[in-house]
Every structure is written in C-alpha cells, then in structure tokens.
Amino acid sequence: MSVERKGYCVNGEWRASVTDTYTPVTDSSTGEVIAEVPRCTAEEVGEAIASAQAAFPAWSALSLSRRVQMMFRWRDVLVDHLDELTLLCAKEHGKNLNESRGDILKAIEPTELACSLPYAIQGSNAVQVTTGFDCSTFRQPLGVVAGIVPFNFPAMIPWGWMVPLAIACGNTVVLKAATPTPLTSMRILELFYEEAHFPKGVVNLVTCTHNEADILLTDERIKAVTFVGTTGVGKQVTATAAAHGKRVQAQCEAKNHALVLADCDLEATTNAVINSAFGCAGERCMALPVCCVEESIADEFVAMLKQKAEAMAIGRAYDPETKLGPLVSAEHKARVEGWIAKGVEEGAQLVLDGRDRVIEGSEGGFYLGPTIFDHVEPGMTVGEREIFGPVVCIKRVHGYEEGIKVMNANPFANGSSIFTQDGYWARRFKLETDGGMVGVNVGIPVPTAYYPFSGNKQSFFGDQHVLGLDGYRFYTRAKTVTEHWFDEGSSARKLDSWEGTVERE
C-alpha cells in the first residue's frame, strides 16, 4: 500500500519538498505508517519566512474589526470539523477520543479569546500631563513570528497557544510542526485557507529537524519565537533567539507535584490523580506524576490508586471505550520503559508495572499500562525528572510542612496541587508553592485561555507567558506618543511653563 507523502505550506500552497529525507507518521494504535513528512531544506524554511514577511503589510493593515470578524469565522470552521479533527488527532497521537476532542476544544478556546482583541489591546491616554502636552500609548504587531511545537498537543499548542493571538494582533506566522504528529496541524491549516479564507501567507508550515529550525532563531525577519519542548532545548532556543534580538517565550519540562493531606476526600482525590497522571498517557506537561502523600493515609491511597489504575480500559485511541491509549511512538515507549527500569534500579517500590502490554489485534501499537512507584525517596531521578508517560511516583511525607518543602525542592514548577478539606492549608499552599499554576482539589490546574499558562523556574523562560493578557502583550509592541499642538499663528505665541499660561506677544 502506498503511503502519502506530505508537503510544506508556503503562501497558502502545499509544495513538494526537494529533500530526499522523509519521516514516517504512524497510527500509534497499530504502528502502521499512515503518512510521510519531509525534512524541509534550509531554503524551504526561508521560503516560509519570506511568504510570511510578504503577507505582513496587508494583513497588519486590516482593521481590528475585520481581523476579529475573520477570527469569529475561523472559530466556526473549527467547530464544524470537530469530529474529523478529533479522530485524526487520536490516530496520529494515541490519545483517546475524549482527550483528542479536548485537544481541539483547547484550540477553539483561545480563538474565542482572540475575538476580544479590540478590548484587550486598548492603549491609554493622559491629557495635560504637563502644560500643553498629552501622552498616549498604543500597541502594534511585531511582524513575522515563529512557533516551534512538540508532539503532545498537535492542535492546542500551535493552533491555540500560538496562531490565534499572533494573527489577531496582526502578525504573520511560520510554524515548525512536530514531526511525529503533524497531520492534525496540516489539516487545520488546509481548513484555514479553504474554508475560513484567510489571506495567503498569513500562516506557513514546515517540517524539519532542529538544524533547519535554527534558522527561525537567527533570521532577522523573525521578531518573536514561541517554543514548547524540553528544558535543555528551551534554554538553547532562549539564548540563541534573544542574542539575535527576538522575543522568546519557552514553555519547558515539568515534574508537577500534588500534596495529598490526610483530611482529603480520598475517593475524589484518587480519581483526580488517575485522570491527571494517566490521561493522555501522561504525555502532557500538566500531568501529575508525583504525589506527596501524608504517611497516615499513604497505604490506603496507594491501594485505591492501584485498583483504579488496573481497571482502566487500555486499547486503540479511536475505540470509544478506551480510557488509556498508546504512546506516540515506539521510540518514546522505549524511553519511558527505560525510566521504569531506572526507578526499579534506584530502589523505588514498583507497585504496578505497565510494561509488556499487548492489545489483541493491535500488536504493533505502542502500549504501556499505568505504572505506580511507591516509597520514592529524595535523590531518585525517577521522582525528579520528567518521564512524559503514564508513570506516577509516591513520596511519603509527614504533613504539610515536609510536603511543601519536598515539592519546592524540585527544579521544575509548571503546576502544583493540594488535596485537602482545610482552608488554612489550602491558603498557605497557594501562597507558598513554587508552581505557576495552582490547583486546590484540582488534578490538572490548567486555567482557561483568559488567564496565562504561567509556569515557573526551569519550566519557563521568558517574561510574557502564553495566552491571557500576557499573550496579547507578547505578540505586540508598545508605542508611547507625546503630543503638543500650537494654535493658529503659533509663531506669535509663547508657552510660559512656569506659570502654566500662554501669553500673546
């Protein structure tokens, strides 16, 4: 069976790459190759930048109201194709249908936020700041901006975190799609032009390695870079792009912790941890892979968590009954299995082993069942580093004080949660946790798009986060104007700044 070779998109047109190197895209549930994408050449990346630059003057010159009208239309196109995009996301990524649907919905939500553009980027004005002088501030688009995305949210990250606010503000975009999961983003871009009828060149898309993507960090035509990926790469992206005068927002790794106190609602808490730790097979930066559990309830908590994890239905991502789908690729599955072996080697107690899971009829799929480690001690890397798979680590603590200390010792601080019925501990936690996004009895404390996705420490580099008002500020620059106007015949007038009066000679 022949496999479709995809191209790259420049100026609204899909072009065949001149490269000889293509990367397979698989159905994660079966291991079957369903498409191939090109390793675009440096010249082809340059074409995408040139297309975005050429489209910028006309696009940025459109009125705010016209751009917002187009964003409303774009939102409706995404809603109309929700089921189609959900199935495609599930197939190439491995998320179950509900999780894949959520991925698309999380792209729609920021599109709705972008419709608030005329209100959100209003400037300020002060008259008579000094005698006869007025000052005002307004915001303008930057120009061409770049997005470098990971595999785990093929719709939400490029088409939620990046594109809506960037283009609503008047910028044009070059996307470097994730090679393992590019098909959802490519299909969305087709709809962007074919059904939403955006001007050609407003959004361009390439697939390539980091070597070619480095052009986006150094080319003077690129004014800002949004990156999502590992912390090591995020540091390099931040340093390189900033050295070339670009704005950067780099969302990086996480090792989110939850503090589970003895007074929590145990049933509700374990349900929340199951959803957070094992949802999307743990392949999300807001997963909850570590629980600091108060010792007095730890045995009961672990037993209940194991029981619920064992009951999860594992299967093909697009089967309606599936609760836990496969990992994204064979390579990533091997990496996560390596972490499980590392945890055993370090001495953590393996309560539930998810390795060696085979689904009948889908033996080639990349399946890994829920995995639970108990008695994870300080210094065990399995409890400190991001695994990005369905693995949860239990760290036993003796109350709030020890728990918050253990949590804040971690170098990452994307999100954190506390499970308690006591408002005193909850309030202290909100103030004392290093986590940028905080949950109180919430397993996945991701805010709506109206608030910034605000990681801290080694989880984020930059000064403006994605989404919320931060997103608007990141994709625009401020200008402050000081004005002074003279009356007709002003050459015969003088301004007495000391007395604050104008006298005619």
Side-chain angles (χ1 to χ4, degrees):
M1 183 179 66
S2 62
V3 174
E4 180 185 10
R5 281 195 163 182
K6 308 293 285 189
Y8 64 104
C9 187
V10 168
N11 198 36
E13 302 173 350
W14 291 93
R15 302 179 181 179
S17 174
V18 300
T19 186
D20 294 326
T21 306
Y22 281 78
T23 303
V25 180
T26 56
D27 177 340
S28 299
S29 297
T30 65
E32 174 190 3
V33 176
I34 54 177
E36 292 180 332
V37 296
R39 173 179 170 174
C40 290
T41 65
E43 291 75 16
E44 289 165 345
V45 174
E47 289 175 23
I49 298 172
S51 171
Q53 186 184 41
F56 173 71
W59 176 247
S60 61
L62 286 181
S63 67
L64 299 185
S65 59
R66 178 61 180 144
R67 293 204 299 269
V68 167
Q69 288 166 6
M70 297 191 73
M71 297 308 296
F72 272 113
R73 185 169 66 198
W74 174 230
R75 182 261 182 199
D76 290 343
V77 170
L78 289 174
V79 170
D80 289 344
H81 290 267
L82 179 58
D83 290 342
E84 172 200 352
L85 295 171
T86 294
L87 183 59
L88 182 55
C89 180
K91 193 170 188 178
E92 70 168 339
H93 180 275
K95 300 177 185 181
N96 69 34
L97 289 174
N98 283 337
E99 293 161 351
S100 294
R101 186 179 182 87
D103 195 334
I104 312 305
L105 290 174
K106 278 295 186 178
I108 293 173
E109 188 179 283
T111 303
E112 295 169 344
L113 170 64
C115 295
S116 68
L117 172 74
Y119 175 78
I121 67 166
Q122 289 179 9
S124 61
N125 179 268
V127 299
Q128 200 75 348
V129 291
T130 188
T131 306
F133 290 81
D134 305 332
C135 282
S136 61
T137 298
F138 61 93
R139 306 194 72 86
Q140 290 182 301
L142 303 175
V144 181
V145 300
I148 301 174
V149 307
F151 71 79
N152 60 322
F153 280 89
M156 181 191 76
I157 292 179
W159 292 96
W161 287 8
M162 299 177 184
V163 171
L165 294 189
I167 66 173
C169 288
N171 303 286
T172 53
V173 179
V174 177
L175 282 179
K176 187 270 181 193
T179 303
T181 56
L183 304 183
T184 302
S185 191
M186 288 178 168
R187 177 58 181 150
I188 292 175
L189 185 54
E190 289 175 352
L191 297 171
F192 182 83
Y193 286 120
E194 294 171 3
E195 296 194 18
H197 307 296
F198 277 83
K200 304 299 184 184
V202 171
V203 178
N204 307 269
L205 183 148
V206 296
T207 52
C208 59
T209 71
H210 66 87
N211 293 321
E212 295 78 27
D214 281 350
I215 297 168
L216 302 175
L217 311 181
T218 59
D219 192 295
E220 64 180 8
R221 294 169 293 182
I222 301 289
K223 304 304 179 185
V225 177
T226 300
F227 167 85
V228 181
T230 64
T231 293
V233 176
K235 288 180 177 180
Q236 295 174 13
V237 166
T238 301
T240 302
H244 287 82
K246 307 180 194 312
R247 293 187 178 185
V248 188
Q249 48 183 197
Q251 304 285 340
C252 299
E253 292 175 55
K255 192 69 170 180
N256 303 324
H257 283 50
L259 179 53
V260 180
L261 297 184
D263 71 330
C264 74
D265 182 322
L266 197 59
E267 180 79 20
T269 299
T270 51
N271 285 337
V273 173
I274 286 286
N275 181 39
S276 180
F278 303 133
C280 298
E283 296 169 315
R284 55 186 176 196
C285 63
M286 285 303 287
L288 197 56
V290 182
C291 293
C292 297
V293 185
E294 197 162 1
E295 182 68 52
S296 62
I297 63 165
D299 288 342
E300 186 180 2
F301 176 84
V302 172
M304 186 177 293
L305 191 68
K306 179 183 178 184
Q307 181 185 30
K308 291 179 181 295
E310 288 175 326
M312 295 185 74
I314 303 175
R316 290 184 291 270
Y318 33 80
D319 288 347
E321 65 273 15
T322 293
K323 297 300 181 185
L324 177 59
L327 295 178
V328 69
S329 67
E331 293 78 12
H332 188 62
K333 177 188 174 186
R335 178 181 179 275
V336 176
E337 288 177 333
W339 273 112
I340 297 173
K342 180 69 171 176
V344 173
E345 177 187 325
E346 291 178 331
Q349 180 183 336
L350 186 58
V351 174
L352 182 62
D353 189 349
R355 293 172 292 183
D356 301 322
R357 296 302 294 263
V358 177
I359 304 303
E360 185 176 354
S362 297
E363 290 79 5
F366 315 126
Y367 297 96
L368 184 67
T371 298
I372 300 173
F373 281 109
D374 195 4
H375 297 283
V376 176
E377 302 294 338
M380 293 182 179
T381 57
V382 71
E384 303 300 325
R385 297 284 302 280
E386 185 177 63
I387 295 175
F388 226 57
V391 181
V392 65
C393 298
I394 308 300
K395 298 179 178 179
R396 298 186 176 219
V397 297
H398 295 89
Y400 176 87
E401 301 292 350
E402 182 184 0
I404 193 71
K405 182 178 179 180
V406 169
M407 296 174 76
N408 285 346
N410 191 266
F412 305 107
N414 219 32
S416 59
S417 295
I418 187 171
F419 292 90
T420 180
Q421 297 296 87
D422 191 319
Y424 170 78
W425 295 122
R427 186 173 186 274
R428 278 193 59 183
F429 185 81
K430 288 188 293 184
L431 298 174
E432 295 173 2
T433 179
D434 286 344
M437 289 164 282
V438 182
V440 176
N441 298 316
V442 174
I444 312 173
V446 178
T448 67
Y450 302 99
Y451 293 88
F453 192 92
S454 48
N456 289 329
K457 293 166 72 172
Q458 297 291 303
S459 294
F460 175 77
F461 301 97
D463 61 348
Q464 298 286 351
H465 293 276
V466 299
L467 300 181
L469 292 177
D470 273 20
Y472 280 117
R473 296 186 188 105
F474 180 78
Y475 286 120
T476 57
R477 60 180 180 176
K479 280 187 178 178
T480 300
V481 180
T482 302
E483 296 180 281
H484 175 59
W485 293 92
F486 299 97
D487 291 338
E488 185 177 354
S490 59
S491 60
R493 300 173 66 84
K494 290 183 178 179
L495 178 66
D496 187 337
S497 60
W498 291 102
E499 295 298 330
T501 61
V502 178
E503 297 179 350
R504 191 177 301 277
E505 292 182 343

